[in-house]
Amino acid sequence: MKEIRVSNWNELNEQLYGDSFNPSIGRIRSPFAFRGVSSADYPLTTSLSRLGGAYGQMEQHLLRNFRKYARRGDVQTDSVWNWLAVAQHHGLPTRLLDWTFSPQVAMHFATARLREFERDAVIWTVDFVRAHALLPRPLREEMESESADVFTVEMLARRAGTLEDFDALDDEPFVLFFEPPSLDDRIVNQFALFSVMSCPESHLEAWLRSHPDLVRRIVIPAQLKWEVRDKLDQANVTERVLFPGLDGLSAWLKRYYSPRTPLPAADPMDEEDEDRHGLELSRDDR
């Protein structure tokens, strides 16, 4: 797995926007999904796996009860993929991981937590186009029929009506990226997408280590974080935009007006929950 440690703002942008030109159409169309994490030490783990214990067996119970108690109008259609996206969006432990098409949104999440500024951050980049070339045939055929690079919930539902159907498509683990429905402005503004593994116990990071040519880790040194953060604020890539509403506005103002002084370090046991669609707060702020 390739790891790149940048030293300045320009180098960071060059790495994030590199290899984005699509010669077949003569346009910049990046094949990468991005995930910004405020500490380079945090692994790619799902909220479901962080439950611990026999978490894979808990998936069906969590989702069944979420569907049972949620309001019928909370999903656009009664599809497991719609329910899974809504559940992830509202903090239910799932096998999904949050990503973005936007390098700047990933930079935001890598530098949003001031209590992590003494630690290096990382932005994961995964070539989802090449990852999808490894999908089971029914899923590849669905993409080809739609001339698409990523899935929608409707495309997934046509090929796998349940998670059990999805998992049974191949004996070997695989990863798939899909765009969630536009549930609210947060998902739209964050240019969000999800990754899903073909088994709740499968770990994306382990899968990526077996396919090192598809992934890069771009490390942002701790000493560079303030410059990145301030330039993102100037570009209006902030909580106020990414989390529309009073919560996002308050989070932006609190961070923006915080002095540049050392803050108490985050609890090293407080493994970061990189939920793109829920406002990220430290444990002390919750």
Side-chain angles (χ1 to χ4, degrees):
M1 185 182 302
K2 187 174 183 180
E3 183 168 291
I4 301 166
R5 187 178 182 88
V6 299
S7 59
N8 57 62
W9 168 261
N10 289 337
E11 187 178 353
L12 173 60
N13 280 273
E14 287 173 1
Q15 290 295 333
L16 289 173
Y17 286 93
D19 299 323
S20 297
F21 183 72
N22 186 333
S24 65
I25 59 174
R27 301 288 297 276
I28 300 294
R29 293 290 185 269
S30 175
F32 298 107
F34 303 92
R35 180 177 171 86
V37 185
S38 61
S39 173
D41 295 329
Y42 290 136
L44 287 178
T45 54
T46 66
S47 54
L48 180 65
S49 69
R50 289 196 291 275
L51 282 178
Y55 62 86
Q57 299 175 24
M58 295 299 103
E59 180 181 51
Q60 61 176 323
H61 302 300
L62 286 164
L63 196 56
R64 182 184 68 251
N65 283 287
F66 186 82
R67 296 174 73 165
K68 179 170 63 176
Y69 294 117
R71 296 171 300 180
R72 295 298 94 185
D74 287 333
V75 296
Q76 296 173 334
T77 59
D78 189 21
S79 154
V80 67
W81 300 104
N82 267 310
W83 280 110
L84 198 61
V86 171
Q88 173 76 0
H89 185 62
H90 289 282
L92 188 78
T94 76
R95 70 168 80 177
L96 305 184
L97 274 176
D98 297 278
W99 298 76
T100 177
F101 290 105
S102 168
Q104 290 192 325
V105 170
M107 281 192 274
H108 167 82
F109 284 103
T111 60
R113 300 183 69 186
L114 297 185
R115 292 181 183 273
E116 302 276 11
F117 266 44
E118 298 302 313
R119 302 178 180 180
D120 294 346
V122 68
I123 296 177
W124 293 81
T125 73
V126 174
D127 189 329
F128 58 81
V129 173
R130 293 174 62 195
H132 283 169
L134 304 175
L135 289 172
R137 180 179 294 277
L139 294 172
R140 296 200 312 272
E141 290 175 348
E142 181 66 28
M143 292 186 63
E144 292 167 2
S145 69
E146 292 283 344
S147 299
D149 290 327
V150 296
F151 286 80
T152 64
V153 291
E154 292 81 11
M155 292 168 64
L156 273 171
R158 287 197 291 265
R159 297 292 176 164
T162 67
L163 287 174
E164 291 78 10
D165 293 340
F166 179 72
D167 295 349
L169 287 171
D170 202 321
D171 293 334
E172 295 296 323
F174 61 86
V175 63
L176 179 146
F177 289 83
F178 72 95
E179 291 188 77
S182 297
L183 302 172
D184 58 25
D185 289 340
R186 283 183 291 167
I187 282 183
V188 174
N189 291 1
Q190 293 170 25
F191 210 176
L193 75 160
F194 293 139
S195 66
V196 57
M197 291 295 297
S198 57
C199 173
E201 289 94 355
S202 294
H203 293 282
L204 177 58
E205 189 167 344
W207 189 90
L208 290 172
R209 291 189 184 281
S210 66
H211 300 82
D213 56 322
L214 303 183
V215 60
R216 294 181 301 162
R217 281 170 43 96
I218 300 173
V219 177
I220 303 174
Q223 62 269 24
L224 185 59
K225 277 188 170 181
W226 278 108
E227 179 183 353
V228 173
R229 182 65 264 162
D230 289 345
K231 287 182 175 178
L232 290 174
D233 284 344
Q234 184 178 2
N236 202 29
V237 183
T238 69
E239 296 88 344
R240 184 171 69 93
V241 174
L242 300 178
F243 301 96
L246 296 181
D247 289 343
L249 174 60
S250 298
W252 167 59
L253 291 171
K254 176 183 177 181
R255 180 186 53 72
Y256 189 80
Y257 286 100
S258 294
R260 184 171 175 171
T261 55
L263 295 170
D267 184 348
M269 298 303 292
D270 182 18
E271 183 176 307
E272 187 165 15
D273 183 0
E274 294 292 329
D275 183 357
R276 293 285 184 280
H277 310 138
L279 192 61
E280 283 190 357
L281 301 173
S282 70
R283 177 171 291 176
D284 292 339
D285 294 330
R286 287 183 177 141

